[in-house]
Amino acid sequence: MLVTRKKPMIVRLSLALAAGLAGALMMGAGTPATAAGGEAPHIPREDWSFSGPFGSYDPGQLQRGFKVYQQVCAACHSLEFVAIRTLASPSGPYFSDAAVKVIASEYTVEDGPDDSGEMFEREARPSDHFPAPFPNQQAARAANGGAYPPDLSLIAKARAAHAGFPTFVFDALTQYQEAGPDYLHALLTHYEEPPEDVTLAPGMYYNTAFLSGNQIAMPPPLSDGLVEYSDGAPETVDQYSRDVSAFLMWAAEPKLEARKQTGMRVMLFLLVFAGLLYFTKRKIWSNVEH
Amino acid sequence: MSGHSTYQPQGKLAKWIDSRLPILTLMNAQAIDFPTPRNLNYFWTFGAILMMMLVVQIITGIVLAMHYTANTELAFASVEKIMRDVNFGWLLRYMHANGASMFFIAVYIHIFRGLYYGSYKAPREILWMLGVVIFLLMMATAFMGYVLPWGQMSFWGATVITNLFSAIPLVGESIVQWLWGGFSVANPTLNRFFALHYLLPFMIVGVVILHIWALHVPGNNNPTGVSVKSGQDTVPFHPYITVKDMFAMVVFLLFFGWFLFYIPNYMGHADNYIPADPLVTPAHIVPEWYFLPFYAILRAVPSKLGGVIAMFGAIAILFFLPWLDTSKVRSGAFRPLFRQFFWVFAIVCVFLGWLGAQPAEGIYVVLARIAMAYYFAYFIIILPVLGLVERTKPLPASITESVLGKKSGGGAQPAGSTAAPQDKG
């Protein structure tokens, strides 16, 4: 038994030091959260069919989103890492093979050189990637007032609002991995008239969700009724941006369904295996006090 | 601790081999019969977990290297090809990227376990120092691996870190150009980083072998810190430790799988999905999370050279730890004062990590300096002084006594509680 006695000076000293430091740490953790709250845009978290451990893409939504991309975004934005053939993926937009051939035939790609050494243009095949709207970055900038419309293949993974402490801890526990599409949806729906004290630079638009300041060079791309839907989904800016964000998430992460399905099998196996090992371990150690 | 084995190879072939190369005897002594303290807790399973992670990284890395192209024009696209077109490429790449994070989580737990239980003290100083060498090699490997996808953070992280060497007086500039293979981070840099990223893991394997060798001479430390005194204090490595390690490894894989399968980009930075652009600097250049405490120390010092010295000093000081800690008692369990300072130290390290992710301005810099001061004071002042002034709790006479005392609530040995655990059960 330890005899309780008055704590010596050094113990009290160290306790005070530890408490003081812990206090300072907590103060430190609290300050920036409030300081940053005023500036960073608030990105609302939406419901997505592909979130969570059982999430999967909604082919109907991806097909609508592709239509929005094709008719609106593709005028300026490339999609260079995505092959047209992947539109037929059952864990993606799930277009029929015939439909994919038709989609491919609507594009023209440069090929060659041919036998006489000339480059030539031909109809795209499903195995081709989506051709870019501009031949190079300089051409894209020249056509867009100096701003470069980024490639969209990975945009849904290349943008994320900063989640500070303690949000990022909960994000790991709740498997939040949709910061990209949340941001894209917010960006497309948060074009506003600038407040009176803000003077926009020429060719800029006011957007409260834009991560690098509130001025964005991209004009508001969507408006109600802009794209015709054949499946009865509402033809609103909110629905368009939701659909195209989902489509871009698929474009950035086409193997999401395979990943989550494989994951479930692996996790279940590991869980059972861990259980068996636990009882094996208990049995083996049962004759040893430890 | 070796040499306890009474193993004799049985089969004809086994005898033939063992008389020419006694590898069977060696393996038996080191991995089957090896006497291990019976009171190890689950913090002692991280050595095995780290071995597993090293193997995972090497295997996935070799396969990834078969598909990757180390050229600044092609690297980013080749990684995307792996993600989209290579069979199970997404699995390989996410396993490798998240595996690096898991490796560091495990190694940090492993290091802090050593710090708490005094595993660095005599006679395990060389074991500890080899561990620090492995840690350094891991950091170099991880840093260069992060450059390979050639995203924005790859490029700018490489630029920032290689530029640190320019702080060295006189020869700094030349060293940086030598590292780059040119006048900026460019294709030659990527090429050599790829070559080194492939080489260093095998150097890690080599040092790991030395690390295990140095471990198997004095044997494991244990939660009491009291040395093994008799065979009763130990159990044979197999099956006792093997089954326990395996259980811990599978539980760790569950943790790994949570990130790998469901939030594979959680540990990464969104900017690294933007191809490297030397003309566009990201708003915040942050290294991978496992470097953040050291990054915070780097930025806490106002002068560049000072920051570099402080950052490398923060790791170099670990080499001297065995001689800085003056206490004769190994385990923190019997050092009430040490324990408080230790936990403050642990919190400070996490706090430094958080600070490393914040912009280097205002209150953050002040806090980083306070935290850094504690980090160094812990090694240079607190540990040397504590050993001299601290009144430690009485140590148990042996591991066996501590185990049985705990179970029965007294000191007496209950009859039949030890079925000679040192023999194979």
Side-chain angles (χ1 to χ4, degrees), chain B residues 68-72 147-148 150 180 186-198:
Chain B
Y68 170 77
T69 312
N71 179 299
T72 52
V147 175
L148 302 186
W150 209 244
W180 286 340
N187 199 53
T189 325
L190 179 61
N191 266 300
R192 63 192 55 193
F193 276 21
F194 180 50
L196 292 173
H197 184 71
Y198 206 115

mmCIF file with all atom_site columns, all heavy atoms in Angstrom, chain B residues 68-72 147-148 150 180 186-198:
data_model
loop_
_atom_site.group_PDB
_atom_site.id
_atom_site.type_symbol
_atom_site.label_atom_id
_atom_site.label_alt_id
_atom_site.label_comp_id
_atom_site.label_asym_id
_atom_site.label_entity_id
_atom_site.label_seq_id
_atom_site.pdbx_PDB_ins_code
_atom_site.Cartn_x
_atom_site.Cartn_y
_atom_site.Cartn_z
_atom_site.occupancy
_atom_site.B_iso_or_equiv
_atom_site.pdbx_formal_charge
_atom_site.auth_seq_id
_atom_site.auth_comp_id
_atom_site.auth_asym_id
_atom_site.auth_atom_id
_atom_site.pdbx_PDB_model_num
ATOM 1   N N   . TYR B 1 68  ? 4.601  2.796  -63.052 1.00 0.00 ? 68  TYR B N   1
ATOM 2   C CA  . TYR B 1 68  ? 4.846  4.229  -62.887 1.00 0.00 ? 68  TYR B CA  1
ATOM 3   C C   . TYR B 1 68  ? 5.926  4.706  -63.858 1.00 0.00 ? 68  TYR B C   1
ATOM 4   O O   . TYR B 1 68  ? 6.826  3.949  -64.229 1.00 0.00 ? 68  TYR B O   1
ATOM 5   C CB  . TYR B 1 68  ? 5.282  4.480  -61.441 1.00 0.00 ? 68  TYR B CB  1
ATOM 6   C CG  . TYR B 1 68  ? 5.792  5.875  -61.178 1.00 0.00 ? 68  TYR B CG  1
ATOM 7   C CD1 . TYR B 1 68  ? 4.904  6.937  -61.053 1.00 0.00 ? 68  TYR B CD1 1
ATOM 8   C CD2 . TYR B 1 68  ? 7.155  6.129  -61.056 1.00 0.00 ? 68  TYR B CD2 1
ATOM 9   C CE1 . TYR B 1 68  ? 5.365  8.215  -60.814 1.00 0.00 ? 68  TYR B CE1 1
ATOM 10  C CE2 . TYR B 1 68  ? 7.627  7.403  -60.813 1.00 0.00 ? 68  TYR B CE2 1
ATOM 11  C CZ  . TYR B 1 68  ? 6.728  8.444  -60.704 1.00 0.00 ? 68  TYR B CZ  1
ATOM 12  O OH  . TYR B 1 68  ? 7.190  9.703  -60.466 1.00 0.00 ? 68  TYR B OH  1
ATOM 13  N N   . THR B 1 69  ? 5.841  5.963  -64.266 1.00 0.00 ? 69  THR B N   1
ATOM 14  C CA  . THR B 1 69  ? 6.844  6.544  -65.150 1.00 0.00 ? 69  THR B CA  1
ATOM 15  C C   . THR B 1 69  ? 7.468  7.756  -64.473 1.00 0.00 ? 69  THR B C   1
ATOM 16  O O   . THR B 1 69  ? 6.769  8.732  -64.195 1.00 0.00 ? 69  THR B O   1
ATOM 17  C CB  . THR B 1 69  ? 6.198  6.993  -66.479 1.00 0.00 ? 69  THR B CB  1
ATOM 18  O OG1 . THR B 1 69  ? 5.389  5.935  -66.968 1.00 0.00 ? 69  THR B OG1 1
ATOM 19  C CG2 . THR B 1 69  ? 7.267  7.338  -67.492 1.00 0.00 ? 69  THR B CG2 1
ATOM 20  N N   . ALA B 1 70  ? 8.768  7.705  -64.215 1.00 0.00 ? 70  ALA B N   1
ATOM 21  C CA  . ALA B 1 70  ? 9.434  8.799  -63.510 1.00 0.00 ? 70  ALA B CA  1
ATOM 22  C C   . ALA B 1 70  ? 9.908  9.853  -64.497 1.00 0.00 ? 70  ALA B C   1
ATOM 23  O O   . ALA B 1 70  ? 11.086 9.966  -64.797 1.00 0.00 ? 70  ALA B O   1
ATOM 24  C CB  . ALA B 1 70  ? 10.608 8.271  -62.693 1.00 0.00 ? 70  ALA B CB  1
ATOM 25  N N   . ASN B 1 71  ? 8.951  10.601 -65.020 1.00 0.00 ? 71  ASN B N   1
ATOM 26  C CA  . ASN B 1 71  ? 9.280  11.685 -65.938 1.00 0.00 ? 71  ASN B CA  1
ATOM 27  C C   . ASN B 1 71  ? 8.267  12.790 -65.678 1.00 0.00 ? 71  ASN B C   1
ATOM 28  O O   . ASN B 1 71  ? 7.069  12.522 -65.567 1.00 0.00 ? 71  ASN B O   1
ATOM 29  C CB  . ASN B 1 71  ? 9.175  11.173 -67.386 1.00 0.00 ? 71  ASN B CB  1
ATOM 30  C CG  . ASN B 1 71  ? 9.473  12.254 -68.398 1.00 0.00 ? 71  ASN B CG  1
ATOM 31  O OD1 . ASN B 1 71  ? 8.779  13.271 -68.453 1.00 0.00 ? 71  ASN B OD1 1
ATOM 32  N ND2 . ASN B 1 71  ? 10.494 12.051 -69.205 1.00 0.00 ? 71  ASN B ND2 1
ATOM 33  N N   . THR B 1 72  ? 8.732  14.022 -65.569 1.00 0.00 ? 72  THR B N   1
ATOM 34  C CA  . THR B 1 72  ? 7.816  15.093 -65.167 1.00 0.00 ? 72  THR B CA  1
ATOM 35  C C   . THR B 1 72  ? 6.653  15.263 -66.140 1.00 0.00 ? 72  THR B C   1
ATOM 36  O O   . THR B 1 72  ? 5.594  15.726 -65.763 1.00 0.00 ? 72  THR B O   1
ATOM 37  C CB  . THR B 1 72  ? 8.569  16.431 -65.064 1.00 0.00 ? 72  THR B CB  1
ATOM 38  O OG1 . THR B 1 72  ? 9.278  16.649 -66.270 1.00 0.00 ? 72  THR B OG1 1
ATOM 39  C CG2 . THR B 1 72  ? 9.547  16.419 -63.907 1.00 0.00 ? 72  THR B CG2 1
ATOM 40  N N   . VAL B 1 147 ? 6.853  12.892 -53.572 1.00 0.00 ? 147 VAL B N   1
ATOM 41  C CA  . VAL B 1 147 ? 7.175  13.719 -54.737 1.00 0.00 ? 147 VAL B CA  1
ATOM 42  C C   . VAL B 1 147 ? 6.768  13.000 -56.042 1.00 0.00 ? 147 VAL B C   1
ATOM 43  O O   . VAL B 1 147 ? 6.438  13.642 -57.041 1.00 0.00 ? 147 VAL B O   1
ATOM 44  C CB  . VAL B 1 147 ? 8.679  14.056 -54.745 1.00 0.00 ? 147 VAL B CB  1
ATOM 45  C CG1 . VAL B 1 147 ? 9.065  14.818 -55.999 1.00 0.00 ? 147 VAL B CG1 1
ATOM 46  C CG2 . VAL B 1 147 ? 9.046  14.861 -53.499 1.00 0.00 ? 147 VAL B CG2 1
ATOM 47  N N   . LEU B 1 148 ? 6.773  11.659 -56.012 1.00 0.00 ? 148 LEU B N   1
ATOM 48  C CA  . LEU B 1 148 ? 6.630  10.903 -57.254 1.00 0.00 ? 148 LEU B CA  1
ATOM 49  C C   . LEU B 1 148 ? 5.353  11.174 -58.051 1.00 0.00 ? 148 LEU B C   1
ATOM 50  O O   . LEU B 1 148 ? 5.412  11.223 -59.276 1.00 0.00 ? 148 LEU B O   1
ATOM 51  C CB  . LEU B 1 148 ? 6.793  9.399  -56.979 1.00 0.00 ? 148 LEU B CB  1
ATOM 52  C CG  . LEU B 1 148 ? 8.120  8.990  -56.335 1.00 0.00 ? 148 LEU B CG  1
ATOM 53  C CD1 . LEU B 1 148 ? 8.224  7.482  -56.256 1.00 0.00 ? 148 LEU B CD1 1
ATOM 54  C CD2 . LEU B 1 148 ? 9.312  9.546  -57.094 1.00 0.00 ? 148 LEU B CD2 1
ATOM 55  N N   . TRP B 1 150 ? 3.941  13.765 -58.633 1.00 0.00 ? 150 TRP B N   1
ATOM 56  C CA  . TRP B 1 150 ? 4.168  15.022 -59.352 1.00 0.00 ? 150 TRP B CA  1
ATOM 57  C C   . TRP B 1 150 ? 2.918  15.890 -59.379 1.00 0.00 ? 150 TRP B C   1
ATOM 58  O O   . TRP B 1 150 ? 2.550  16.485 -60.387 1.00 0.00 ? 150 TRP B O   1
ATOM 59  C CB  . TRP B 1 150 ? 4.693  14.747 -60.755 1.00 0.00 ? 150 TRP B CB  1
ATOM 60  C CG  . TRP B 1 150 ? 5.557  15.857 -61.269 1.00 0.00 ? 150 TRP B CG  1
ATOM 61  C CD1 . TRP B 1 150 ? 5.313  16.666 -62.339 1.00 0.00 ? 150 TRP B CD1 1
ATOM 62  C CD2 . TRP B 1 150 ? 6.812  16.310 -60.730 1.00 0.00 ? 150 TRP B CD2 1
ATOM 63  N NE1 . TRP B 1 150 ? 6.323  17.585 -62.491 1.00 0.00 ? 150 TRP B NE1 1
ATOM 64  C CE2 . TRP B 1 150 ? 7.257  17.388 -61.521 1.00 0.00 ? 150 TRP B CE2 1
ATOM 65  C CE3 . TRP B 1 150 ? 7.586  15.899 -59.636 1.00 0.00 ? 150 TRP B CE3 1
ATOM 66  C CZ2 . TRP B 1 150 ? 8.444  18.073 -61.259 1.00 0.00 ? 150 TRP B CZ2 1
ATOM 67  C CZ3 . TRP B 1 150 ? 8.771  16.578 -59.374 1.00 0.00 ? 150 TRP B CZ3 1
ATOM 68  C CH2 . TRP B 1 150 ? 9.186  17.647 -60.196 1.00 0.00 ? 150 TRP B CH2 1
ATOM 69  N N   . TRP B 1 180 ? 19.173 18.788 -56.684 1.00 0.00 ? 180 TRP B N   1
ATOM 70  C CA  . TRP B 1 180 ? 18.210 18.952 -57.769 1.00 0.00 ? 180 TRP B CA  1
ATOM 71  C C   . TRP B 1 180 ? 18.704 18.336 -59.073 1.00 0.00 ? 180 TRP B C   1
ATOM 72  O O   . TRP B 1 180 ? 17.910 17.935 -59.906 1.00 0.00 ? 180 TRP B O   1
ATOM 73  C CB  . TRP B 1 180 ? 17.958 20.446 -58.026 1.00 0.00 ? 180 TRP B CB  1
ATOM 74  C CG  . TRP B 1 180 ? 17.121 21.114 -56.984 1.00 0.00 ? 180 TRP B CG  1
ATOM 75  C CD1 . TRP B 1 180 ? 16.275 20.526 -56.091 1.00 0.00 ? 180 TRP B CD1 1
ATOM 76  C CD2 . TRP B 1 180 ? 17.036 22.528 -56.732 1.00 0.00 ? 180 TRP B CD2 1
ATOM 77  N NE1 . TRP B 1 180 ? 15.680 21.474 -55.301 1.00 0.00 ? 180 TRP B NE1 1
ATOM 78  C CE2 . TRP B 1 180 ? 16.124 22.711 -55.672 1.00 0.00 ? 180 TRP B CE2 1
ATOM 79  C CE3 . TRP B 1 180 ? 17.645 23.641 -57.296 1.00 0.00 ? 180 TRP B CE3 1
ATOM 80  C CZ2 . TRP B 1 180 ? 15.806 23.966 -55.166 1.00 0.00 ? 180 TRP B CZ2 1
ATOM 81  C CZ3 . TRP B 1 180 ? 17.324 24.894 -56.802 1.00 0.00 ? 180 TRP B CZ3 1
ATOM 82  C CH2 . TRP B 1 180 ? 16.415 25.059 -55.744 1.00 0.00 ? 180 TRP B CH2 1
ATOM 83  N N   . ALA B 1 186 ? 13.165 19.619 -60.954 1.00 0.00 ? 186 ALA B N   1
ATOM 84  C CA  . ALA B 1 186 ? 12.756 19.322 -62.328 1.00 0.00 ? 186 ALA B CA  1
ATOM 85  C C   . ALA B 1 186 ? 12.962 17.840 -62.606 1.00 0.00 ? 186 ALA B C   1
ATOM 86  O O   . ALA B 1 186 ? 13.116 17.048 -61.673 1.00 0.00 ? 186 ALA B O   1
ATOM 87  C CB  . ALA B 1 186 ? 13.557 20.170 -63.308 1.00 0.00 ? 186 ALA B CB  1
ATOM 88  N N   . ASN B 1 187 ? 12.982 17.481 -63.885 1.00 0.00 ? 187 ASN B N   1
ATOM 89  C CA  . ASN B 1 187 ? 13.036 16.070 -64.235 1.00 0.00 ? 187 ASN B CA  1
ATOM 90  C C   . ASN B 1 187 ? 14.193 15.297 -63.585 1.00 0.00 ? 187 ASN B C   1
ATOM 91  O O   . ASN B 1 187 ? 13.969 14.191 -63.079 1.00 0.00 ? 187 ASN B O   1
ATOM 92  C CB  . ASN B 1 187 ? 13.076 15.913 -65.753 1.00 0.00 ? 187 ASN B CB  1
ATOM 93  C CG  . ASN B 1 187 ? 12.670 14.527 -66.159 1.00 0.00 ? 187 ASN B CG  1
ATOM 94  O OD1 . ASN B 1 187 ? 11.608 14.055 -65.753 1.00 0.00 ? 187 ASN B OD1 1
ATOM 95  N ND2 . ASN B 1 187 ? 13.512 13.849 -66.919 1.00 0.00 ? 187 ASN B ND2 1
ATOM 96  N N   . PRO B 1 188 ? 15.414 15.837 -63.556 1.00 0.00 ? 188 PRO B N   1
ATOM 97  C CA  . PRO B 1 188 ? 16.499 15.081 -62.893 1.00 0.00 ? 188 PRO B CA  1
ATOM 98  C C   . PRO B 1 188 ? 16.185 14.825 -61.422 1.00 0.00 ? 188 PRO B C   1
ATOM 99  O O   . PRO B 1 188 ? 16.525 13.763 -60.884 1.00 0.00 ? 188 PRO B O   1
ATOM 100 C CB  . PRO B 1 188 ? 17.717 15.990 -63.045 1.00 0.00 ? 188 PRO B CB  1
ATOM 101 C CG  . PRO B 1 188 ? 17.386 16.907 -64.167 1.00 0.00 ? 188 PRO B CG  1
ATOM 102 C CD  . PRO B 1 188 ? 15.906 17.096 -64.155 1.00 0.00 ? 188 PRO B CD  1
ATOM 103 N N   . THR B 1 189 ? 15.530 15.789 -60.774 1.00 0.00 ? 189 THR B N   1
ATOM 104 C CA  . THR B 1 189 ? 15.169 15.615 -59.364 1.00 0.00 ? 189 THR B CA  1
ATOM 105 C C   . THR B 1 189 ? 14.205 14.435 -59.204 1.00 0.00 ? 189 THR B C   1
ATOM 106 O O   . THR B 1 189 ? 14.383 13.575 -58.347 1.00 0.00 ? 189 THR B O   1
ATOM 107 C CB  . THR B 1 189 ? 14.491 16.889 -58.821 1.00 0.00 ? 189 THR B CB  1
ATOM 108 O OG1 . THR B 1 189 ? 15.076 18.025 -59.435 1.00 0.00 ? 189 THR B OG1 1
ATOM 109 C CG2 . THR B 1 189 ? 14.601 16.967 -57.324 1.00 0.00 ? 189 THR B CG2 1
ATOM 110 N N   . LEU B 1 190 ? 13.186 14.426 -60.058 1.00 0.00 ? 190 LEU B N   1
ATOM 111 C CA  . LEU B 1 190 ? 12.194 13.353 -59.980 1.00 0.00 ? 190 LEU B CA  1
ATOM 112 C C   . LEU B 1 190 ? 12.857 11.999 -60.212 1.00 0.00 ? 190 LEU B C   1
ATOM 113 O O   . LEU B 1 190 ? 12.588 11.029 -59.496 1.00 0.00 ? 190 LEU B O   1
ATOM 114 C CB  . LEU B 1 190 ? 11.080 13.599 -61.006 1.00 0.00 ? 190 LEU B CB  1
ATOM 115 C CG  . LEU B 1 190 ? 9.977  12.539 -61.069 1.00 0.00 ? 190 LEU B CG  1
ATOM 116 C CD1 . LEU B 1 190 ? 9.250  12.441 -59.736 1.00 0.00 ? 190 LEU B CD1 1
ATOM 117 C CD2 . LEU B 1 190 ? 8.985  12.848 -62.176 1.00 0.00 ? 190 LEU B CD2 1
ATOM 118 N N   . ASN B 1 191 ? 13.746 11.948 -61.189 1.00 0.00 ? 191 ASN B N   1
ATOM 119 C CA  . ASN B 1 191 ? 14.414 10.685 -61.495 1.00 0.00 ? 191 ASN B CA  1
ATOM 120 C C   . ASN B 1 191 ? 15.219 10.153 -60.321 1.00 0.00 ? 191 ASN B C   1
ATOM 121 O O   . ASN B 1 191 ? 15.138 8.979  -59.964 1.00 0.00 ? 191 ASN B O   1
ATOM 122 C CB  . ASN B 1 191 ? 15.346 10.877 -62.690 1.00 0.00 ? 191 ASN B CB  1
ATOM 123 C CG  . ASN B 1 191 ? 14.657 10.512 -63.968 1.00 0.00 ? 191 ASN B CG  1
ATOM 124 O OD1 . ASN B 1 191 ? 14.226 9.378  -64.125 1.00 0.00 ? 191 ASN B OD1 1
ATOM 125 N ND2 . ASN B 1 191 ? 14.516 11.451 -64.864 1.00 0.00 ? 191 ASN B ND2 1
ATOM 126 N N   . ARG B 1 192 ? 16.004 11.029 -59.697 1.00 0.00 ? 192 ARG B N   1
ATOM 127 C CA  . ARG B 1 192 ? 16.833 10.529 -58.593 1.00 0.00 ? 192 ARG B CA  1
ATOM 128 C C   . ARG B 1 192 ? 15.985 10.218 -57.369 1.00 0.00 ? 192 ARG B C   1
ATOM 129 O O   . ARG B 1 192 ? 16.289 9.289  -56.621 1.00 0.00 ? 192 ARG B O   1
ATOM 130 C CB  . ARG B 1 192 ? 17.950 11.519 -58.285 1.00 0.00 ? 192 ARG B CB  1
ATOM 131 C CG  . ARG B 1 192 ? 17.494 12.872 -57.816 1.00 0.00 ? 192 ARG B CG  1
ATOM 132 C CD  . ARG B 1 192 ? 18.621 13.855 -57.822 1.00 0.00 ? 192 ARG B CD  1
ATOM 133 N NE  . ARG B 1 192 ? 19.259 13.944 -59.132 1.00 0.00 ? 192 ARG B NE  1
ATOM 134 C CZ  . ARG B 1 192 ? 20.410 14.528 -59.376 1.00 0.00 ? 192 ARG B CZ  1
ATOM 135 N NH1 . ARG B 1 192 ? 21.057 15.112 -58.391 1.00 0.00 ? 192 ARG B NH1 1
ATOM 136 N NH2 . ARG B 1 192 ? 20.915 14.564 -60.572 1.00 0.00 ? 192 ARG B NH2 1
ATOM 137 N N   . PHE B 1 193 ? 14.906 10.979 -57.178 1.00 0.00 ? 193 PHE B N   1
ATOM 138 C CA  . PHE B 1 193 ? 14.034 10.675 -56.047 1.00 0.00 ? 193 PHE B CA  1
ATOM 139 C C   . PHE B 1 193 ? 13.394 9.296  -56.224 1.00 0.00 ? 193 PHE B C   1
ATOM 140 O O   . PHE B 1 193 ? 13.217 8.554  -55.259 1.00 0.00 ? 193 PHE B O   1
ATOM 141 C CB  . PHE B 1 193 ? 12.947 11.750 -55.898 1.00 0.00 ? 193 PHE B CB  1
ATOM 142 C CG  . PHE B 1 193 ? 13.409 12.961 -55.131 1.00 0.00 ? 193 PHE B CG  1
ATOM 143 C CD1 . PHE B 1 193 ? 14.764 13.252 -55.009 1.00 0.00 ? 193 PHE B CD1 1
ATOM 144 C CD2 . PHE B 1 193 ? 12.501 13.796 -54.505 1.00 0.00 ? 193 PHE B CD2 1
ATOM 145 C CE1 . PHE B 1 193 ? 15.201 14.360 -54.305 1.00 0.00 ? 193 PHE B CE1 1
ATOM 146 C CE2 . PHE B 1 193 ? 12.932 14.908 -53.791 1.00 0.00 ? 193 PHE B CE2 1
ATOM 147 C CZ  . PHE B 1 193 ? 14.275 15.189 -53.694 1.00 0.00 ? 193 PHE B CZ  1
ATOM 148 N N   . PHE B 1 194 ? 13.044 8.981  -57.465 1.00 0.00 ? 194 PHE B N   1
ATOM 149 C CA  . PHE B 1 194 ? 12.455 7.662  -57.717 1.00 0.00 ? 194 PHE B CA  1
ATOM 150 C C   . PHE B 1 194 ? 13.480 6.567  -57.423 1.00 0.00 ? 194 PHE B C   1
ATOM 151 O O   . PHE B 1 194 ? 13.183 5.576  -56.744 1.00 0.00 ? 194 PHE B O   1
ATOM 152 C CB  . PHE B 1 194 ? 11.979 7.584  -59.170 1.00 0.00 ? 194 PHE B CB  1
ATOM 153 C CG  . PHE B 1 194 ? 11.358 6.260  -59.528 1.00 0.00 ? 194 PHE B CG  1
ATOM 154 C CD1 . PHE B 1 194 ? 10.370 5.698  -58.726 1.00 0.00 ? 194 PHE B CD1 1
ATOM 155 C CD2 . PHE B 1 194 ? 11.756 5.570  -60.661 1.00 0.00 ? 194 PHE B CD2 1
ATOM 156 C CE1 . PHE B 1 194 ? 9.792  4.476  -59.055 1.00 0.00 ? 194 PHE B CE1 1
ATOM 157 C CE2 . PHE B 1 194 ? 11.178 4.347  -60.993 1.00 0.00 ? 194 PHE B CE2 1
ATOM 158 C CZ  . PHE B 1 194 ? 10.200 3.805  -60.186 1.00 0.00 ? 194 PHE B CZ  1
ATOM 159 N N   . ALA B 1 195 ? 14.696 6.758  -57.912 1.00 0.00 ? 195 ALA B N   1
ATOM 160 C CA  . ALA B 1 195 ? 15.747 5.762  -57.674 1.00 0.00 ? 195 ALA B CA  1
ATOM 161 C C   . ALA B 1 195 ? 15.973 5.585  -56.171 1.00 0.00 ? 195 ALA B C   1
ATOM 162 O O   . ALA B 1 195 ? 16.044 4.453  -55.667 1.00 0.00 ? 195 ALA B O   1
ATOM 163 C CB  . ALA B 1 195 ? 17.041 6.193  -58.358 1.00 0.00 ? 195 ALA B CB  1
ATOM 164 N N   . LEU B 1 196 ? 16.047 6.691  -55.450 1.00 0.00 ? 196 LEU B N   1
ATOM 165 C CA  . LEU B 1 196 ? 16.302 6.600  -54.009 1.00 0.00 ? 196 LEU B CA  1
ATOM 166 C C   . LEU B 1 196 ? 15.095 6.048  -53.257 1.00 0.00 ? 196 LEU B C   1
ATOM 167 O O   . LEU B 1 196 ? 15.244 5.323  -52.278 1.00 0.00 ? 196 LEU B O   1
ATOM 168 C CB  . LEU B 1 196 ? 16.685 7.978  -53.463 1.00 0.00 ? 196 LEU B CB  1
ATOM 169 C CG  . LEU B 1 196 ? 18.041 8.498  -53.954 1.00 0.00 ? 196 LEU B CG  1
ATOM 170 C CD1 . LEU B 1 196 ? 18.252 9.929  -53.508 1.00 0.00 ? 196 LEU B CD1 1
ATOM 171 C CD2 . LEU B 1 196 ? 19.163 7.608  -53.440 1.00 0.00 ? 196 LEU B CD2 1
ATOM 172 N N   . HIS B 1 197 ? 13.900 6.400  -53.732 1.00 0.00 ? 197 HIS B N   1
ATOM 173 C CA  . HIS B 1 197 ? 12.698 5.894  -53.082 1.00 0.00 ? 197 HIS B CA  1
ATOM 174 C C   . HIS B 1 197 ? 12.618 4.370  -53.209 1.00 0.00 ? 197 HIS B C   1
ATOM 175 O O   . HIS B 1 197 ? 12.060 3.698  -52.364 1.00 0.00 ? 197 HIS B O   1
ATOM 176 C CB  . HIS B 1 197 ? 11.456 6.538  -53.699 1.00 0.00 ? 197 HIS B CB  1
ATOM 177 C CG  . HIS B 1 197 ? 10.173 6.138  -53.030 1.00 0.00 ? 197 HIS B CG  1
ATOM 178 N ND1 . HIS B 1 197 ? 9.825  6.562  -51.761 1.00 0.00 ? 197 HIS B ND1 1
ATOM 179 C CD2 . HIS B 1 197 ? 9.155  5.328  -53.425 1.00 0.00 ? 197 HIS B CD2 1
ATOM 180 C CE1 . HIS B 1 197 ? 8.655  6.047  -51.429 1.00 0.00 ? 197 HIS B CE1 1
ATOM 181 N NE2 . HIS B 1 197 ? 8.228  5.285  -52.408 1.00 0.00 ? 197 HIS B NE2 1
ATOM 182 N N   . TYR B 1 198 ? 13.180 3.851  -54.278 1.00 0.00 ? 198 TYR B N   1
ATOM 183 C CA  . TYR B 1 198 ? 13.216 2.395  -54.455 1.00 0.00 ? 198 TYR B CA  1
ATOM 184 C C   . TYR B 1 198 ? 14.340 1.779  -53.609 1.00 0.00 ? 198 TYR B C   1
ATOM 185 O O   . TYR B 1 198 ? 14.222 0.670  -53.096 1.00 0.00 ? 198 TYR B O   1
ATOM 186 C CB  . TYR B 1 198 ? 13.437 2.064  -55.929 1.00 0.00 ? 198 TYR B CB  1
ATOM 187 C CG  . TYR B 1 198 ? 12.897 0.721  -56.353 1.00 0.00 ? 198 TYR B CG  1
ATOM 188 C CD1 . TYR B 1 198 ? 11.851 0.619  -57.264 1.00 0.00 ? 198 TYR B CD1 1
ATOM 189 C CD2 . TYR B 1 198 ? 13.436 -0.458 -55.839 1.00 0.00 ? 198 TYR B CD2 1
ATOM 190 C CE1 . TYR B 1 198 ? 11.354 -0.609 -57.642 1.00 0.00 ? 198 TYR B CE1 1
ATOM 191 C CE2 . TYR B 1 198 ? 12.934 -1.694 -56.218 1.00 0.00 ? 198 TYR B CE2 1
ATOM 192 C CZ  . TYR B 1 198 ? 11.894 -1.762 -57.116 1.00 0.00 ? 198 TYR B CZ  1
ATOM 193 O OH  . TYR B 1 198 ? 11.396 -2.979 -57.484 1.00 0.00 ? 198 TYR B OH  1
#
